Amino acid sequence: MKRAVSHARAAWEVARWEFLRYFKPKQQLIGLVITMFFMVVGGLVGKLTSEPSTVELAVVGAERIELPSELGRFRFERHDEASLERLRAEVAERNREAVLVVGSDGAGTLFVRQLPSWRADLERELTAVAVSRRLETSGLAIEQLLAIQAPFTLEVHESAPRAGLGERAAAMAALFLTLFGLMAGMGYIFTSVTGEKQNRLSEQVISAIPPQSWIDGKIVGLAGVALAGMLNLALAVGIVLTVARIGWGAELPFAIAVQRVDLLLLAGVGIVLGFLFWFAFLAAVAAVVDDPQHSSRNQLLFLPMLTLVAAYLAVRDPTATWIRVLSIAPPTSGAVFPVRVLATEVPWWEVVITLGLLVGAIRFVRRVAGRIFRLGMLLYGKEPTWGEIWRWLWESA
Amino acid sequence: MTTSPPPILEMQEIEKHFGPVRAVDGVSVTVRRGEIVALLGPNGAGKTTLLRIALGMIRPDRGWVAYGLGGGLSDRPDARRIGYLPEERGLYQDVPVARYLAYFGALRGMRRSDARREAARWLERLDLADRARERLRNLSKGNQQKVQFISTVVHRPELAILDEPFSGLDPLNQDLFLSLIRELRDAGTTVILSAHHMQLVERLADRVVLIRKGRVADSGTVEELRRRWGAGRRLVVRLGGGGAGDGGSGAVASPGDGRAQEGTAGDVAYAGAVAFLESLAGVRSARATAAGEIEIDVEPDASLSGLLEAIGSRLEVHDLRSETVTLHDIYVRTMTGVEPETEGVVA
């Protein structure tokens, strides 16, 4: 009937218990639907409020600069002078977007309801046309004209090219998901540990299993819940974007990362290890918090967030030397490494060193957390000082 | 010749400090298999610390602990064979009753299926079978306490350590827990408990260990303690209104309004009566009470008839009854230092 309770089994029982307590399938499903709903609504709102790609203008006096019917994104509809008043009235009544009048001196006047965002584009296009016409009338040969207009050619050779749009988008997506998972996990860990302490459950559990098994189980179980929530969010985003791509041909900038499953897996390993590291740290902090509403220790919760700032900077410049250092060394590697893996090529030896150091750091932090946990969880009604915590660690070493 | 059962827990010369506070100071306790042992003492006496040391949750600064669990000897507690009900106890309020119990059974080494089956048996026994799927927060306080008790014993421990098991219980549930603990003992579980409910402990404990300021003040069966502390018998007399003349000694009982008041003539008269009673052979001590009575602790081997005759010859006895010294009396006297302390090894 009774079996020897190994550390692994005790930790597994706790992990399973914590996962089942905090992972609510119904809530996850609702979260999935809500995320998809907001993405669709956001996409539609963006579509409706975005500028049209093509701008149609009525033009009076187009012949004065020999304006073509199309110029870049602009379509020109020619009208005579007599139509001007009618056309302006149509603009005022929102039946027409704009009227362009080209004067006899070659200058233009634009009639619109409000200053449009495409004004600079139009000016640039019209300037090009006007310059061409002036050059034509100057009597230059076409070869001379082309030579004058030819742009300066600049060929660029990059020794450490920046991440492309696809890679950066994939890295940002990983960063966003990590932020989501980390924040959710922090909430779970803090609620779980301080809740058990406040509900006077810790003593009963510690009498049954070693504190190390308890904290390990908590870390694994709640990291599982955070990961499940993260995957749920990724699933919701993936469904909506896939539908958008198939249905409307929308471009997915990070599709490039989806094609590199090996990189996704490597980034996933980095994210999971990062979670384990920070959740061990947070469990130790929570163990010495008596009242989560008023504890000064709550400020330590911002530490994991700082690593996400480093990860954000890594998206922008993944090859910078200091970013490489932060990517290799714990505690920042848990957040920076996954971003770098997706944003740029990371040498294999760097991957090995990073993951090795991170695993070692997790082992160290969980041991320290276990010691703090053992004594902190039995301390009711007061929070230990930093000196006391140090003494516990010293005495139990 | 009878052989006593083997020890299931032995603690020798245990010391534990918390900073400058000496919580446990050289305590030695041996608990034998099948016993119900009660640790008694005021708040802060070191009982809970001692229990936590017994559970292996706290390491002693000095001394050693040995366990006779599972038929062997070890210096480490086997959590599968121990149940613990802490003084500060709570529940996972958002979890169904059956799942909560299965979890604690699994933590104590049971297969989940076995834990569920055993939990169901206990819930049936405590009339909670129909609440098994309810969340714990929906249970009354009394039922929650029953669930806490089940979580302590669901794995059928060889040793159950119960810290204040009766605290917060109404009288009906106190009786229920009393019978449950007896059932545990009858089923082979050794029980160590700490409690402040002297009447319940008196009815339950095979042996009592009195702890004062981190040290063992006394220990033994309740009968042994009675013999040691109360000499087995106590007579309580109320003296008549006119008193009994005793020109020689001047010992005149004068109850007045029934209360011995300091500084009154009656008080002086009572003092005379107390002095007379204490001079009698077979009387260990006598004292006037606030209720206007005199309590006389009698030596166990004293001749009661001779004593009554001597009292009657000098004092006018209005009322007389015999009382047994209670554990409460012994506790109060031990903890207030009325009697000399007995320290050291407890068998």
Side-chain angles (χ1 to χ4, degrees):
Chain A
M1 190 168 180
K2 286 173 192 165
R3 296 175 291 174
V5 189
S6 64
H7 167 75
R9 190 191 166 215
W12 171 246
E13 285 295 341
V14 176
R16 183 177 175 276
W17 170 260
E18 295 291 336
F19 186 85
L20 292 175
R21 263 190 86 200
Y22 286 93
F23 182 77
K24 313 279 186 197
K26 195 174 154 190
Q27 300 298 328
Q28 292 287 335
L29 194 61
I30 292 171
L32 184 85
V33 172
I34 288 175
T35 306
M36 291 199 304
F37 173 77
F38 278 113
M39 281 194 72
V40 169
V41 169
L44 288 175
V45 169
K47 194 87 180 167
L48 290 173
T49 56
S50 64
E51 297 276 341
S53 56
T54 305
V55 182
E56 292 188 356
L57 293 107
V59 187
V60 174
E63 66 283 357
R64 286 174 182 141
I65 54 169
E66 295 179 40
L67 194 63
S69 58
E70 278 187 37
L71 202 57
R73 60 191 284 210
F74 299 99
R75 306 277 179 277
F76 300 108
E77 188 183 298
R78 291 174 178 239
H79 292 270
D80 54 22
E81 297 268 0
S83 311
L84 183 58
E85 286 308 311
R86 178 180 55 82
L87 292 170
R88 286 185 63 181
E90 285 176 3
V91 170
E93 291 162 8
R94 296 173 187 264
N95 293 327
R96 185 175 290 280
E97 193 166 0
V99 177
L100 173 66
V101 178
V102 181
S104 54
D105 58 351
T109 308
L110 189 67
F111 294 96
V112 286
R113 288 184 65 251
Q114 284 161 346
L115 188 64
S117 61
W118 40 261
R119 177 198 162 170
D121 287 350
L122 181 64
E123 275 183 334
R124 193 168 51 251
E125 298 287 1
L126 291 174
T127 301
V129 170
V131 168
S132 292
R133 298 297 170 259
R134 284 173 208 148
L135 285 170
E136 281 170 14
T137 54
S138 68
L140 288 171
I142 188 73
E143 292 78 16
Q144 291 173 306
L145 186 65
L146 288 173
I148 290 168
Q149 287 186 314
F152 178 80
T153 54
L154 180 68
E155 197 176 338
V156 179
H157 292 271
E158 295 176 281
S159 60
R162 283 178 187 275
L165 177 65
E167 285 83 357
R168 272 187 285 135
M172 275 305 285
L175 175 59
F176 175 70
L177 288 174
T178 307
L179 171 69
F180 175 84
L182 200 56
M183 288 193 69
M186 280 164 59
Y188 294 138
I189 281 274
F190 233 64
T191 308
S192 171
V193 175
T194 59
E196 279 180 10
K197 208 173 166 187
Q198 287 191 316
N199 287 328
R200 302 295 189 251
L201 278 154
S202 31
E203 206 169 337
Q204 211 164 350
V205 180
I206 283 181
S207 74
I209 57 172
Q212 192 66 62
S213 304
W214 193 18
I215 198 168
D216 287 351
K218 266 190 189 301
I219 293 164
V220 171
L222 295 176
V225 182
L227 278 172
M230 220 176 86
L231 291 176
N232 191 46
L233 180 65
L235 182 66
V237 173
I239 289 172
V240 172
L241 292 183
T242 305
V243 169
R245 189 184 193 191
I246 294 170
W248 292 280
E251 284 185 23
L252 300 183
F254 45 79
I256 189 168
V258 177
Q259 292 162 10
R260 290 289 305 270
V261 179
D262 56 334
L263 294 184
L264 282 180
L265 285 176
L266 201 53
V269 168
I271 290 172
V272 170
L273 293 178
F275 279 3
L276 294 177
F277 177 88
W278 281 114
F279 290 176
F281 170 80
L282 292 169
V285 173
V288 292
V289 167
D290 187 62
D291 179 2
Q293 303 291 330
H294 303 103
S295 176
S296 59
R297 305 278 152 74
N298 291 348
Q299 290 154 3
L300 292 171
L301 296 178
F302 289 106
L303 280 179
M305 293 298 146
L306 288 180
T307 63
L308 293 176
V309 174
Y312 174 70
L313 296 174
V315 175
R316 297 176 62 185
D317 193 359
T319 54
T321 306
W322 68 280
I323 289 290
R324 285 180 81 168
V325 172
L326 293 181
S327 169
I328 292 172
T332 47
S333 56
V336 179
F337 173 74
V339 163
R340 262 193 91 229
V341 162
L342 293 172
T344 188
E345 284 291 324
V346 179
W348 67 268
W349 59 267
E350 221 176 282
V351 173
V352 172
I353 292 175
T354 302
L355 296 183
L357 283 176
L358 197 49
V359 169
I362 291 167
R363 285 177 65 89
F364 175 73
V365 173
R366 64 171 270 276
R367 288 300 295 266
V368 170
R371 286 169 186 170
I372 293 177
F373 208 60
R374 185 165 68 86
L375 294 160
M377 290 301 279
L378 295 177
L379 205 65
Y380 303 133
K382 77 179 269 272
E383 288 186 359
T385 62
W386 291 111
E388 284 172 322
I389 293 171
W390 177 250
R391 205 182 65 239
W392 294 348
L393 291 174
W394 185 252
E395 287 174 357
S396 59
Chain B
M1 189 177 119
T2 57
T3 54
S4 51
I8 198 166
L9 172 71
E10 190 160 6
M11 306 173 83
Q12 288 296 331
E13 297 297 323
I14 300 293
E15 277 186 27
K16 182 68 191 176
H17 299 250
F18 293 111
V21 179
R22 187 176 289 187
V24 180
D25 184 11
V27 168
S28 298
V29 177
T30 301
V31 179
R32 296 190 178 279
R33 193 170 278 276
E35 279 188 309
I36 297 178
V37 175
L39 301 184
L40 303 181
N43 294 329
K47 304 186 299 295
T48 297
T49 303
L50 202 59
L51 294 180
R52 285 177 176 176
I53 289 171
L55 286 156
M57 289 162 61
I58 299 176
R59 291 179 200 153
D61 298 332
R62 207 171 73 82
W64 53 266
V65 186
Y67 304 86
L69 296 161
L73 268 176
S74 172
D75 59 354
R76 288 177 182 229
D78 183 346
R80 296 170 302 160
R81 302 178 192 281
I82 299 177
Y84 178 47
L85 183 69
E87 181 183 7
E88 298 269 11
R89 49 188 178 256
L91 296 161
Y92 291 100
Q93 297 284 348
D94 58 335
V95 173
V97 173
R99 203 207 289 181
Y100 172 85
L101 294 172
Y103 174 56
F104 273 94
L107 287 184
R108 295 281 187 186
M110 296 178 89
R111 288 192 180 86
R112 269 186 226 120
S113 55
D114 291 338
R116 279 194 289 270
R117 197 177 314 117
E118 193 66 12
R121 190 182 71 78
W122 271 103
L123 290 171
E124 187 77 41
R125 162 75 182 82
L126 294 177
D127 296 328
L128 287 171
D130 56 336
R131 316 291 298 272
R133 298 170 78 89
E134 280 191 45
R135 291 183 195 281
L136 281 154
R137 74 164 75 95
N138 297 332
L139 266 57
S140 66
K141 192 180 174 194
N143 283 338
Q144 288 190 357
Q145 287 170 321
K146 288 178 188 173
V147 173
Q148 283 165 338
F149 182 84
I150 298 173
S151 72
T152 307
V153 298
V154 68
H155 58 297
R156 297 189 181 183
E158 288 177 40
L159 174 64
I161 296 180
L162 315 175
D163 199 354
E164 302 289 352
F166 306 112
S167 77
L169 294 176
D170 63 45
L172 286 177
N173 275 327
Q174 283 180 0
D175 277 352
L176 173 67
F177 272 51
L178 199 77
S179 61
L180 289 174
I181 293 169
R182 280 191 185 130
E183 275 179 38
L184 274 183
R185 191 261 312 270
D186 295 344
T189 300
T190 306
V191 179
I192 303 174
L193 59 92
S194 83
H196 291 301
H197 298 73
M198 298 298 146
Q199 287 182 325
L200 296 172
V201 171
E202 204 164 351
R203 289 162 62 190
L204 186 65
D206 298 315
R207 223 150 46 77
V208 172
V209 180
L210 292 154
I211 296 178
R212 181 181 173 223
K213 293 180 180 171
R215 313 184 82 168
V216 173
D218 203 353
S219 72
T221 64
V222 174
E223 275 311 309
E224 284 169 352
L225 289 173
R226 278 199 187 114
R227 276 200 296 275
R228 203 145 53 231
W229 288 85
R233 278 175 293 181
R234 175 185 290 167
L235 295 176
V236 181
V237 297
R238 182 182 290 277
L239 301 180
D246 178 49
S249 67
V252 178
S254 177
D257 62 353
R259 307 187 73 81
Q261 294 174 347
E262 197 178 341
T264 65
D267 194 26
V268 174
Y270 258 58
V274 167
F276 162 68
L277 290 167
E278 283 192 323
S279 70
L280 295 175
V283 171
R284 174 182 272 193
S285 64
R287 64 201 154 271
T289 70
E293 297 173 331
I294 298 175
E295 287 180 354
I296 309 161
D297 288 339
V298 181
E299 298 283 1
D301 52 353
S303 162
L304 210 55
S305 56
L307 195 60
L308 290 174
E309 193 178 332
I311 292 170
S313 69
R314 297 279 291 273
L315 301 173
E316 184 186 327
V317 177
H318 183 76
D319 188 21
L320 180 143
R321 66 181 189 280
S322 171
E323 273 186 359
T324 305
V325 174
T326 63
L327 190 56
H328 178 92
D329 298 325
I330 296 168
Y331 176 90
V332 170
R333 283 187 220 170
T334 310
M335 298 308 155
T336 53
V338 168
E339 301 284 333
E341 291 176 18
T342 307
E343 296 165 8
V345 177
V346 179

